[in-house]
Amino acid sequence: MNWDKTTEEKFKLLINKMPIFLRGTASAQVSKKAQSLATAANRSEITEKDMVDAFFAETPFGFQGLMKNDLIDVGIDYTKYGHAK
């Protein structure tokens, strides 16, 4: 499945902000979830919303504060996708 190019760039930036020992697992899990969300919506491209929803779904609650800061750092307003501040 293809990624929206801007979304893919932001995804890579977000993954690189994580501790190195988590990057491989996080990348695989979030990518898989984003793809399943796009497929469920009958789309052939992963959008920023798919990626954000996937990060929220796959990131344990205790780490979501850090994730939210990282999303903001790369220019993503996650609240527009229905996630609380």
Side-chain angles (χ1 to χ4, degrees):
M1 176 164 297
N2 295 322
W3 285 71
D4 166 77
K5 292 301 177 198
T6 303
T7 300
E8 186 175 28
E9 290 170 15
K10 290 179 180 179
F11 175 75
K12 290 175 182 177
L13 289 172
L14 288 163
I15 293 298
N16 284 329
K17 288 179 166 287
M18 295 179 179
I20 195 159
F21 62 90
L22 294 176
R23 290 178 190 170
T25 301
S27 178
Q29 288 180 328
V30 174
S31 292
K32 183 178 179 180
K33 182 65 173 180
Q35 182 173 340
S36 72
L37 292 169
T39 300
N42 203 27
R43 284 183 277 100
S44 61
E45 184 175 73
I46 296 169
T47 65
E48 184 175 276
K49 180 179 181 353
D50 298 322
M51 179 190 68
V52 170
D53 290 347
F55 267 107
F56 274 91
E58 297 300 321
T59 302
F61 182 77
F63 295 98
Q64 287 189 3
L66 294 171
M67 177 197 67
K68 289 175 181 180
N69 290 336
D70 288 344
L71 288 166
I72 291 166
D73 285 348
V74 299
I76 296 173
D77 176 9
Y78 57 86
T79 62
K80 72 181 181 182
Y81 300 121
H83 300 283
K85 278 196 170 196

Coordinates of all heavy atoms in Angstrom, one line a residue:
M1 N 0.8 -1.2 0.0 CA 0.0 0.0 0.0 C 0.9 1.2 0.0 O 1.9 1.3 0.6 CB -0.9 0.0 1.2 CG -1.7 1.3 1.3 SD -3.1 1.2 2.5 CE -4.1 -0.1 1.7
N2 N 0.5 2.3 -0.7 CA 1.2 3.5 -0.8 C 0.9 4.4 0.3 O -0.2 4.4 0.9 CB 0.9 4.2 -2.1 CG 1.3 3.4 -3.3 OD1 2.4 2.8 -3.3 ND2 0.5 3.4 -4.4
W3 N 1.9 5.3 0.6 CA 1.7 6.3 1.6 C 1.6 7.7 0.9 O 2.3 7.9 -0.1 CB 2.9 6.4 2.5 CG 3.0 5.3 3.6 CD1 3.3 4.0 3.4 CD2 2.9 5.5 5.0 NE1 3.3 3.4 4.5 CE2 3.1 4.2 5.6 CE3 2.6 6.6 5.8 CZ2 3.0 4.0 6.9 CZ3 2.5 6.4 7.2 CH2 2.7 5.1 7.7
D4 N 0.8 8.6 1.4 CA 0.8 10.0 1.0 C 2.3 10.4 1.3 O 2.8 10.1 2.4 CB -0.2 10.8 1.8 CG 0.0 12.3 1.7 OD1 -0.3 12.8 0.7 OD2 0.6 12.8 2.7
K5 N 2.9 11.1 0.4 CA 4.4 11.4 0.5 C 4.7 12.2 1.8 O 5.6 11.9 2.5 CB 4.9 12.0 -0.7 CG 5.0 11.1 -1.9 CD 5.8 9.9 -1.7 CE 5.8 8.9 -2.8 NZ 6.2 7.6 -2.5
T6 N 3.9 13.2 2.0 CA 4.1 14.1 3.2 C 3.9 13.3 4.5 O 4.7 13.4 5.4 CB 3.2 15.3 3.2 OG1 3.4 16.0 1.9 CG2 3.5 16.2 4.3
T7 N 2.9 12.5 4.5 CA 2.7 11.6 5.6 C 3.8 10.7 5.9 O 4.2 10.5 7.0 CB 1.3 10.9 5.5 OG1 0.3 11.8 5.3 CG2 1.0 10.0 6.6
E8 N 4.3 10.1 4.8 CA 5.4 9.1 5.0 C 6.7 9.8 5.5 O 7.4 9.3 6.4 CB 5.8 8.5 3.6 CG 6.8 7.4 3.7 CD 7.0 6.7 2.4 OE1 6.8 7.4 1.3 OE2 7.5 5.6 2.4
E9 N 6.9 11.1 5.1 CA 8.1 11.8 5.6 C 7.9 12.1 7.1 O 8.8 11.9 7.9 CB 8.2 13.1 4.9 CG 8.7 12.9 3.4 CD 8.7 14.2 2.6 OE1 8.5 15.3 3.2 OE2 8.8 14.1 1.4
K10 N 6.7 12.5 7.5 CA 6.4 12.7 8.9 C 6.5 11.5 9.8 O 7.0 11.5 10.9 CB 5.0 13.4 9.1 CG 5.0 14.8 8.6 CD 3.6 15.4 8.7 CE 3.6 16.9 8.2 NZ 2.3 17.5 8.3
F11 N 6.0 10.3 9.2 CA 6.1 9.1 9.8 C 7.6 8.7 10.2 O 7.9 8.3 11.3 CB 5.5 8.0 9.0 CG 5.7 6.6 9.5 CD1 4.9 6.1 10.6 CD2 6.6 5.7 8.9 CE1 5.1 4.9 11.1 CE2 6.7 4.4 9.4 CZ 6.0 4.0 10.5
K12 N 8.4 8.9 9.2 CA 9.9 8.6 9.4 C 10.5 9.5 10.5 O 11.3 9.1 11.3 CB 10.6 8.8 8.1 CG 10.3 7.7 7.1 CD 11.0 7.9 5.7 CE 10.6 6.9 4.7 NZ 11.2 7.1 3.4
L13 N 10.1 10.8 10.5 CA 10.6 11.7 11.5 C 10.1 11.3 12.9 O 10.9 11.3 13.9 CB 10.1 13.1 11.2 CG 10.7 13.9 10.1 CD1 9.9 15.2 9.8 CD2 12.1 14.2 10.3
L14 N 8.8 10.9 13.0 CA 8.3 10.4 14.3 C 9.0 9.1 14.8 O 9.4 9.0 15.9 CB 6.8 10.1 14.2 CG 5.9 11.4 14.0 CD1 4.6 11.0 13.5 CD2 5.9 12.1 15.4
I15 N 9.2 8.2 13.9 CA 9.9 7.0 14.3 C 11.4 7.3 14.7 O 11.8 6.7 15.7 CB 9.9 6.0 13.1 CG1 8.5 5.4 12.8 CG2 10.9 4.8 13.4 CD1 7.8 4.7 13.9
N16 N 12.0 8.2 14.0 CA 13.4 8.6 14.4 C 13.5 9.3 15.8 O 14.6 9.4 16.3 CB 14.1 9.4 13.3 CG 14.5 8.5 12.2 OD1 14.8 7.3 12.3 ND2 14.4 9.0 11.0
K17 N 12.4 9.8 16.3 CA 12.4 10.5 17.6 C 12.3 9.5 18.7 O 12.5 9.8 19.9 CB 11.2 11.4 17.7 CG 11.3 12.7 16.8 CD 10.1 13.6 17.0 CE 10.3 14.9 16.5 NZ 11.2 15.8 17.3
M18 N 12.0 8.2 18.4 CA 11.9 7.2 19.4 C 13.2 6.6 19.8 O 14.2 6.7 19.0 CB 11.0 6.0 18.8 CG 9.6 6.4 18.6 SD 8.7 5.0 17.9 CE 7.1 5.7 17.7
P19 N 13.3 6.0 21.0 CA 14.6 5.3 21.3 C 14.9 4.3 20.3 O 14.0 3.6 19.8 CB 14.2 4.7 22.7 CG 13.1 5.5 23.2 CD 12.3 6.0 22.0
I20 N 16.1 4.1 19.9 CA 16.5 3.3 18.8 C 16.0 1.8 19.0 O 15.7 1.2 18.0 CB 18.0 3.3 18.6 CG1 18.4 2.7 17.2 CG2 18.8 2.7 19.7 CD1 19.7 3.1 16.7
F21 N 16.0 1.3 20.2 CA 15.6 -0.1 20.4 C 14.1 -0.3 20.2 O 13.6 -1.4 20.1 CB 16.0 -0.6 21.8 CG 15.4 0.2 23.0 CD1 14.2 -0.2 23.5 CD2 16.0 1.3 23.5 CE1 13.6 0.5 24.6 CE2 15.4 2.0 24.5 CZ 14.2 1.6 25.1
L22 N 13.3 0.8 20.1 CA 11.9 0.6 19.9 C 11.5 0.9 18.4 O 10.4 0.6 18.0 CB 11.1 1.6 20.7 CG 11.1 1.4 22.2 CD1 10.4 2.6 22.9 CD2 10.5 0.1 22.6
R23 N 12.4 1.5 17.6 CA 12.0 1.9 16.3 C 11.5 0.8 15.4 O 10.5 1.0 14.7 CB 13.2 2.6 15.7 CG 13.5 3.9 16.3 CD 14.7 4.6 15.7 NE 15.1 5.7 16.5 CZ 16.2 6.4 16.3 NH1 17.1 6.0 15.4 NH2 16.5 7.4 17.1
G24 N 12.2 -0.3 15.3 CA 11.8 -1.4 14.4 C 10.4 -1.9 14.7 O 9.5 -2.0 13.8
T25 N 10.1 -2.2 16.0 CA 8.8 -2.7 16.4 C 7.7 -1.6 16.2 O 6.7 -1.9 15.7 CB 8.9 -3.1 17.9 OG1 9.9 -4.1 18.1 CG2 7.5 -3.6 18.4
A26 N 8.0 -0.4 16.6 CA 7.0 0.7 16.5 C 6.7 0.9 15.0 O 5.5 1.0 14.6 CB 7.5 2.0 17.1
S27 N 7.7 0.9 14.2 CA 7.5 1.2 12.7 C 6.6 0.1 12.1 O 5.7 0.4 11.4 CB 8.9 1.2 12.0 OG 8.7 1.4 10.6
A28 N 6.9 -1.2 12.5 CA 6.1 -2.3 11.9 C 4.7 -2.2 12.4 O 3.7 -2.4 11.6 CB 6.8 -3.6 12.3
Q29 N 4.5 -2.0 13.7 CA 3.1 -2.0 14.3 C 2.3 -0.9 13.8 O 1.1 -1.1 13.4 CB 3.2 -2.0 15.8 CG 3.7 -3.4 16.4 CD 3.7 -3.3 17.9 OE1 4.0 -2.3 18.5 NE2 3.5 -4.5 18.5
V30 N 2.9 0.3 13.8 CA 2.1 1.5 13.3 C 1.8 1.4 11.8 O 0.7 1.7 11.4 CB 2.8 2.8 13.7 CG1 2.1 4.0 13.1 CG2 2.9 2.9 15.2
S31 N 2.8 1.0 11.1 CA 2.6 0.8 9.6 C 1.4 -0.2 9.3 O 0.5 0.1 8.5 CB 3.8 0.3 8.9 OG 4.8 1.3 8.9
K32 N 1.5 -1.3 10.0 CA 0.4 -2.3 9.8 C -0.9 -1.8 10.2 O -1.9 -2.0 9.5 CB 0.8 -3.6 10.7 CG -0.2 -4.7 10.5 CD 0.3 -5.9 11.3 CE -0.7 -7.1 11.2 NZ -0.3 -8.3 11.9
K33 N -1.0 -1.1 11.3 CA -2.3 -0.5 11.7 C -2.8 0.5 10.8 O -4.0 0.6 10.4 CB -2.2 0.0 13.2 CG -3.5 0.6 13.7 CD -4.5 -0.5 13.9 CE -5.7 0.0 14.6 NZ -6.7 -1.0 14.8
A34 N -1.9 1.4 10.3 CA -2.3 2.5 9.4 C -2.8 1.8 8.1 O -3.8 2.3 7.5 CB -1.1 3.4 9.1
Q35 N -2.1 0.8 7.6 CA -2.6 0.1 6.4 C -4.0 -0.5 6.6 O -4.8 -0.4 5.8 CB -1.6 -1.0 6.0 CG -2.0 -1.7 4.7 CD -0.9 -2.6 4.2 OE1 0.2 -2.5 4.6 NE2 -1.3 -3.6 3.4
S36 N -4.2 -1.1 7.8 CA -5.5 -1.7 8.0 C -6.6 -0.7 8.1 O -7.7 -0.9 7.6 CB -5.5 -2.6 9.3 OG -5.4 -1.8 10.5
L37 N -6.3 0.5 8.6 CA -7.3 1.6 8.7 C -7.6 2.1 7.3 O -8.8 2.4 7.0 CB -6.7 2.7 9.6 CG -6.6 2.4 11.1 CD1 -5.8 3.5 11.8 CD2 -8.0 2.2 11.7
A38 N -6.6 2.3 6.5 CA -6.8 2.7 5.1 C -7.6 1.7 4.3 O -8.6 2.0 3.6 CB -5.5 3.0 4.4
T39 N -7.3 0.4 4.5 CA -8.0 -0.7 3.8 C -9.5 -0.7 4.3 O -10.4 -0.9 3.4 CB -7.4 -2.0 4.1 OG1 -6.0 -2.0 3.6 CG2 -8.1 -3.2 3.4
A40 N -9.7 -0.6 5.6 CA -11.1 -0.6 6.1 C -11.9 0.6 5.5 O -13.1 0.5 5.4 CB -11.1 -0.5 7.6
A41 N -11.2 1.7 5.2 CA -11.9 2.9 4.6 C -12.0 2.8 3.1 O -12.4 3.7 2.4 CB -11.2 4.1 5.1
N42 N -11.5 1.6 2.6 CA -11.6 1.4 1.1 C -10.7 2.4 0.3 O -11.1 2.8 -0.7 CB -13.0 1.4 0.6 CG -13.1 0.6 -0.7 OD1 -12.3 -0.3 -1.0 ND2 -14.1 1.0 -1.5
R43 N -9.5 2.7 0.9 CA -8.6 3.6 0.2 C -7.3 2.8 -0.1 O -6.9 1.9 0.7 CB -8.3 4.8 1.1 CG -9.4 5.8 1.1 CD -9.1 7.1 1.9 NE -9.3 6.8 3.3 CZ -8.4 6.6 4.2 NH1 -7.1 6.5 3.9 NH2 -8.8 6.4 5.5
S44 N -6.6 3.2 -1.1 CA -5.3 2.6 -1.5 C -4.1 3.4 -1.0 O -3.0 3.0 -1.3 CB -5.3 2.3 -3.0 OG -5.3 3.6 -3.6
E45 N -4.3 4.5 -0.3 CA -3.2 5.3 0.2 C -3.4 5.6 1.7 O -4.5 5.9 2.1 CB -3.2 6.6 -0.6 CG -2.0 7.5 -0.3 CD -1.9 8.7 -1.1 OE1 -2.8 9.6 -1.0 OE2 -1.0 8.7 -2.0
I46 N -2.3 5.5 2.4 CA -2.3 5.8 3.8 C -2.2 7.3 4.0 O -1.3 8.0 3.5 CB -1.2 5.1 4.6 CG1 -1.3 3.6 4.5 CG2 -1.1 5.6 6.0 CD1 -0.1 2.8 4.9
T47 N -3.2 7.9 4.7 CA -3.3 9.3 4.9 C -2.7 9.7 6.3 O -2.4 8.8 7.1 CB -4.7 9.8 4.9 OG1 -5.4 9.3 6.0 CG2 -5.4 9.5 3.5
E48 N -2.6 11.0 6.5 CA -2.1 11.5 7.8 C -3.0 11.0 8.9 O -2.6 10.6 10.0 CB -2.0 13.0 7.8 CG -1.4 13.6 9.1 CD -1.2 15.1 9.1 OE1 -0.1 15.5 8.6 OE2 -2.1 15.8 9.6
K49 N -4.3 11.0 8.7 CA -5.3 10.6 9.7 C -5.1 9.1 10.0 O -5.1 8.7 11.2 CB -6.7 10.8 9.3 CG -7.8 10.3 10.3 CD -9.2 10.6 9.9 CE -10.2 10.1 10.9 NZ -9.9 9.4 12.0
D50 N -4.8 8.3 9.0 CA -4.6 6.9 9.3 C -3.3 6.7 10.2 O -3.3 5.9 11.1 CB -4.3 6.1 8.0 CG -5.5 6.1 7.0 OD1 -6.7 6.0 7.5 OD2 -5.3 6.2 5.8
M51 N -2.3 7.5 9.8 CA -1.1 7.4 10.6 C -1.3 7.8 12.1 O -0.9 7.1 13.0 CB 0.0 8.2 10.0 CG 1.4 8.2 10.8 SD 2.6 9.4 10.2 CE 1.8 10.9 10.6
V52 N -2.0 8.9 12.2 CA -2.2 9.5 13.6 C -3.0 8.5 14.4 O -2.7 8.1 15.5 CB -2.9 10.9 13.5 CG1 -3.3 11.3 14.9 CG2 -1.9 11.9 13.0
D53 N -4.1 8.0 13.8 CA -5.0 7.0 14.5 C -4.2 5.7 14.8 O -4.4 5.2 15.9 CB -6.2 6.7 13.6 CG -7.2 7.8 13.5 OD1 -7.1 8.8 14.2 OD2 -8.1 7.7 12.6
A54 N -3.3 5.3 13.9 CA -2.5 4.2 14.2 C -1.5 4.4 15.4 O -1.3 3.5 16.2 CB -1.7 3.8 12.9
F55 N -0.9 5.6 15.4 CA 0.0 5.9 16.5 C -0.8 5.8 17.9 O -0.3 5.3 18.9 CB 0.7 7.2 16.4 CG 2.0 7.2 15.7 CD1 2.2 7.6 14.4 CD2 3.1 6.7 16.4 CE1 3.4 7.5 13.8 CE2 4.4 6.6 15.8 CZ 4.5 7.0 14.5
F56 N -2.0 6.4 17.9 CA -2.8 6.4 19.1 C -3.2 5.0 19.5 O -3.2 4.6 20.6 CB -4.0 7.3 19.0 CG -3.7 8.7 19.4 CD1 -3.3 9.6 18.4 CD2 -3.8 9.1 20.7 CE1 -3.0 10.9 18.7 CE2 -3.5 10.5 21.0 CZ -3.1 11.4 20.1
A57 N -3.5 4.2 18.5 CA -4.0 2.8 18.7 C -2.8 1.9 19.2 O -3.0 1.0 20.1 CB -4.6 2.2 17.5
E58 N -1.6 2.1 18.7 CA -0.5 1.2 19.0 C 0.5 1.7 20.1 O 1.3 1.0 20.6 CB 0.3 1.0 17.7 CG -0.5 0.3 16.6 CD -1.0 -1.1 17.1 OE1 -0.2 -1.8 17.7 OE2 -2.1 -1.4 16.7
T59 N 0.3 3.0 20.6 CA 1.2 3.5 21.6 C 0.5 3.3 23.0 O -0.6 3.8 23.2 CB 1.4 5.0 21.4 OG1 2.0 5.2 20.1 CG2 2.4 5.6 22.5
P60 N 1.2 2.7 23.9 CA 0.6 2.5 25.2 C 0.2 3.9 25.9 O 0.9 4.9 25.7 CB 1.7 1.8 26.0 CG 2.5 1.1 25.0 CD 2.5 2.0 23.8
F61 N -0.8 3.9 26.6 CA -1.4 5.2 27.2 C -0.3 5.9 27.9 O -0.2 7.2 27.8 CB -2.6 4.9 28.1 CG -3.1 6.2 28.6 CD1 -4.0 7.0 27.8 CD2 -2.9 6.6 29.9 CE1 -4.5 8.2 28.4 CE2 -3.4 7.8 30.4 CZ -4.2 8.5 29.6
G62 N 0.5 5.3 28.7 CA 1.6 5.9 29.5 C 2.6 6.7 28.6 O 3.3 7.6 29.2
F63 N 2.7 6.4 27.4 CA 3.7 7.0 26.5 C 3.0 8.0 25.5 O 3.7 8.6 24.7 CB 4.5 6.0 25.7 CG 5.3 5.1 26.6 CD1 4.9 3.9 27.0 CD2 6.5 5.6 27.0 CE1 5.6 3.1 27.8 CE2 7.3 4.8 27.9 CZ 6.9 3.5 28.3
Q64 N 1.7 8.2 25.6 CA 1.0 9.0 24.6 C 1.3 10.5 24.8 O 1.2 11.2 23.8 CB -0.5 8.7 24.6 CG -0.8 7.4 24.0 CD -2.3 7.2 23.7 OE1 -3.1 8.0 24.0 NE2 -2.6 6.0 23.2
G65 N 1.6 10.9 26.0 CA 2.0 12.3 26.2 C 3.2 12.7 25.4 O 3.3 13.7 24.7
L66 N 4.2 11.8 25.4 CA 5.5 12.0 24.7 C 5.2 12.0 23.2 O 5.7 12.8 22.4 CB 6.5 11.0 25.0 CG 7.1 11.0 26.4 CD1 7.9 9.8 26.7 CD2 7.9 12.3 26.6
M67 N 4.3 11.0 22.8 CA 3.9 10.9 21.4 C 3.2 12.2 20.9 O 3.5 12.6 19.8 CB 3.0 9.7 21.2 CG 2.5 9.5 19.8 SD 1.1 8.4 19.7 CE -0.2 9.3 20.6
K68 N 2.3 12.7 21.7 CA 1.6 13.9 21.3 C 2.6 15.1 21.1 O 2.4 15.8 20.1 CB 0.6 14.3 22.4 CG -0.6 13.4 22.5 CD -1.5 13.8 23.6 CE -2.7 12.8 23.7 NZ -3.6 13.2 24.9
N69 N 3.6 15.2 22.0 CA 4.6 16.2 21.8 C 5.4 16.0 20.5 O 5.6 17.0 19.7 CB 5.6 16.2 22.9 CG 5.0 16.7 24.2 OD1 4.0 17.5 24.2 ND2 5.5 16.3 25.3
D70 N 5.7 14.8 20.2 CA 6.4 14.5 18.9 C 5.5 14.8 17.7 O 6.0 15.3 16.7 CB 6.8 13.0 18.9 CG 8.0 12.7 19.8 OD1 8.6 13.7 20.3 OD2 8.2 11.5 20.1
L71 N 4.2 14.5 17.8 CA 3.3 14.8 16.7 C 3.3 16.3 16.4 O 3.4 16.8 15.3 CB 1.9 14.3 17.0 CG 1.7 12.8 16.9 CD1 0.4 12.4 17.5 CD2 1.8 12.3 15.5
I72 N 3.2 17.1 17.5 CA 3.2 18.6 17.4 C 4.5 19.0 16.8 O 4.6 19.9 15.9 CB 2.9 19.2 18.8 CG1 1.5 19.0 19.2 CG2 3.2 20.7 18.7 CD1 1.2 19.3 20.6
D73 N 5.6 18.4 17.2 CA 7.0 18.8 16.7 C 7.1 18.7 15.2 O 7.9 19.4 14.6 CB 8.1 18.0 17.4 CG 8.3 18.4 18.9 OD1 7.8 19.5 19.3 OD2 9.0 17.7 19.6
V74 N 6.4 17.7 14.7 CA 6.5 17.4 13.2 C 5.4 18.1 12.4 O 5.2 17.9 11.2 CB 6.7 15.9 12.8 CG1 7.9 15.3 13.4 CG2 5.4 15.2 13.1
G75 N 4.6 18.9 13.1 CA 3.6 19.8 12.5 C 2.2 19.1 12.3 O 1.5 19.5 11.4
I76 N 1.9 18.2 13.2 CA 0.6 17.5 13.1 C -0.3 17.9 14.3 O 0.1 17.8 15.4 CB 0.8 15.9 13.1 CG1 1.6 15.5 11.9 CG2 -0.6 15.3 13.2 CD1 1.9 14.0 11.9
D77 N -1.4 18.4 13.9 CA -2.5 18.8 14.9 C -3.4 17.5 15.1 O -4.3 17.4 14.3 CB -3.3 20.0 14.5 CG -4.4 20.3 15.4 OD1 -4.5 19.7 16.5 OD2 -5.2 21.2 15.1
Y78 N -3.0 16.7 16.0 CA -3.8 15.4 16.2 C -5.2 15.7 16.6 O -6.0 14.8 16.4 CB -3.0 14.5 17.1 CG -2.8 15.1 18.5 CD1 -3.7 15.0 19.5 CD2 -1.6 15.8 18.8 CE1 -3.5 15.6 20.7 CE2 -1.3 16.3 20.0 CZ -2.3 16.2 21.0 OH -2.1 16.8 22.2
T79 N -5.5 16.8 17.2 CA -6.8 17.1 17.7 C -7.8 17.2 16.6 O -9.0 16.9 16.8 CB -6.9 18.4 18.6 OG1 -6.5 19.5 17.8 CG2 -6.0 18.2 19.8
K80 N -7.4 17.5 15.4 CA -8.3 17.6 14.3 C -8.8 16.2 13.8 O -9.7 16.1 13.0 CB -7.8 18.4 13.1 CG -6.6 17.7 12.3 CD -6.2 18.6 11.2 CE -5.1 18.0 10.4 NZ -4.6 18.9 9.4
Y81 N -8.2 15.2 14.3 CA -8.6 13.8 14.0 C -9.4 13.2 15.2 O -9.6 12.0 15.2 CB -7.4 13.0 13.6 CG -6.6 13.5 12.5 CD1 -5.3 13.9 12.6 CD2 -7.2 13.7 11.2 CE1 -4.6 14.4 11.5 CE2 -6.5 14.2 10.1 CZ -5.2 14.6 10.3 OH -4.5 15.1 9.2
G82 N -9.8 14.0 16.1 CA -10.6 13.5 17.2 C -9.9 13.1 18.4 O -10.5 12.5 19.3
H83 N -8.6 13.3 18.5 CA -7.9 12.9 19.7 C -7.8 14.1 20.7 O -7.5 15.2 20.2 CB -6.5 12.4 19.3 CG -6.6 11.2 18.4 ND1 -6.9 9.9 18.9 CD2 -6.5 11.1 17.1 CE1 -6.9 9.1 17.9 NE2 -6.7 9.8 16.8
A84 N -8.0 13.8 22.0 CA -7.9 14.9 23.0 C -6.5 15.3 23.3 O -5.6 14.6 23.1 CB -8.6 14.4 24.2
K85 N -6.4 16.6 23.7 CA -5.1 17.2 24.1 C -4.6 16.5 25.3 O -5.2 16.1 26.1 CB -5.2 18.7 24.2 CG -5.0 19.4 22.9 CD -4.7 20.8 23.2 CE -4.4 21.4 21.8 NZ -3.7 22.7 21.9

